[in-house]
């Protein structure tokens, strides 16, 4: 049986390759909570108002200090007088069920206790538009009901997509609509 990773490129001409080494800068943030505070101070000091309901996305990709970073975002939202909550944003991970996604977040250390706010996990979505190709644009119902959304995730190329918008912020927004329709319209997103 041919492995899936071989099937992925079996009809793709590959260039000649050579062994090389790349050395990445070893970056370390001593105080992730302070880094979040600084970033949020610069980016959204005037956007989050007292009394607002703010959804914070939590993905399933490995991210160092994920619970600590989410807790720091929650703290910063609360410091502005708003009411934060976390929504899972991970597509089919966790079996594409609310319970499975909550369990996956818990395995990553993300619980209501560790982040300091409610986690609202559900598969219901709201349609917020339709693309020219007829594809429905949908958003998580909990996030849609919020006054604001903070997209927090690790940005990296997705292993199965070959399109201008793969993983990252665009995909994180799209994941909920994909799971709510069982992936029926997923190929439309690639064109």
């Amino acid at each position: 049986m041919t492995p899936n990773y071989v099937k992925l490129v079996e009809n793709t001409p590959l260039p000649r390759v050579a062994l090389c080494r790349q050395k990445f800068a070893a970056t370390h943030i001593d105080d992730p909570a302070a880094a979040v505070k600084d970033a949020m101070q610069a980016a959204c000091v005037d956007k989050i108002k007292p009394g607002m309901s703010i959804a914070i996305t939590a993905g399933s990709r490995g991210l160092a200090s994920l619970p600590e970073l989410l807790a720091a975002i929650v703290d910063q939202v609360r410091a502005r007088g708003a009411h934060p909550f976390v929504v899972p944003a991970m597509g089919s991970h966790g079996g594409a069920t609310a319970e499975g996604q909550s369990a996956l977040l818990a395995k990553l250390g993300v619980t209501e206790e560790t982040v300091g706010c409610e986690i609202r996990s559900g598969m219901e979505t709201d349609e917020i538009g339709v693309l020219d190709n007829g594809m429905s644009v949908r958003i998580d119902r909990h996030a849609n009901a919020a006054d604001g959304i903070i997209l927090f995730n690790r940005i990296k190329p997705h292993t199965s997509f070959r399109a201008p918008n793969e993983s990252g912020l665009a995909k994180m927004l799209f994941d909920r609509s994909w799971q709510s329709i069982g992936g029926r319209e997923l190929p439309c997103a690639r064109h």
Side-chain angles (χ1 to χ4, degrees):
M1 186 166 131
T2 305
N4 285 338
Y5 66 88
V6 172
K7 291 178 186 176
L8 184 64
V9 295
E10 68 185 353
N11 295 321
T12 304
L14 298 176
R16 290 180 49 165
V17 294
L19 180 63
C20 65
R21 290 188 191 272
Q22 183 173 5
K23 204 171 190 178
F24 293 98
T27 57
H28 176 76
I29 298 173
D30 291 325
D31 188 351
V36 166
K37 181 178 180 179
D38 292 344
M40 289 188 70
Q41 190 70 19
C44 46
V45 68
D46 61 342
K47 296 187 178 40
I48 300 174
K49 307 284 187 213
M52 290 177 77
S53 171
I54 305 292
I56 304 166
T57 62
S60 56
R61 301 286 180 209
L63 182 63
S65 305
L66 178 61
E68 184 178 358
L69 291 167
L70 283 167
I73 295 169
V74 166
D75 289 345
Q76 289 304 307
V77 169
R78 278 214 177 97
R80 288 163 176 79
H83 309 287
F85 63 93
V86 168
V87 291
M90 59 184 74
S92 61
H93 296 191
T97 67
E99 299 78 18
Q101 292 191 352
S102 292
L104 182 53
L105 285 179
K107 284 183 184 177
L108 296 172
V110 176
T111 64
E112 292 183 353
E113 293 75 28
T114 61
V115 298
C117 71
E118 181 183 4
I119 296 175
R120 299 181 189 171
S121 185
M123 296 294 107
E124 297 81 20
T125 62
D126 295 329
E127 184 175 76
I128 58 171
V130 177
L131 299 178
D132 290 343
N133 66 3
M135 183 176 159
S136 176
V137 178
R138 305 187 71 81
I139 188 170
D140 176 88
R141 183 160 291 155
H142 295 297
N144 193 35
D147 298 312
I149 303 170
I150 295 175
L151 293 174
F152 174 68
N153 68 315
R154 173 181 173 194
I155 300 174
K156 70 174 222 32
H158 194 282
T159 55
S160 299
F161 286 171
R162 300 291 179 258
N165 295 315
E166 295 183 5
S167 282
L169 303 179
K171 182 175 177 287
M172 185 168 261
L173 285 172
F174 179 69
D175 272 346
R176 281 298 171 148
S177 60
W178 179 81
Q179 61 201 37
S180 73
I181 59 173
R184 290 188 307 273
E185 297 183 51
L186 183 60
C188 297
R190 297 165 139 179
H191 302 295

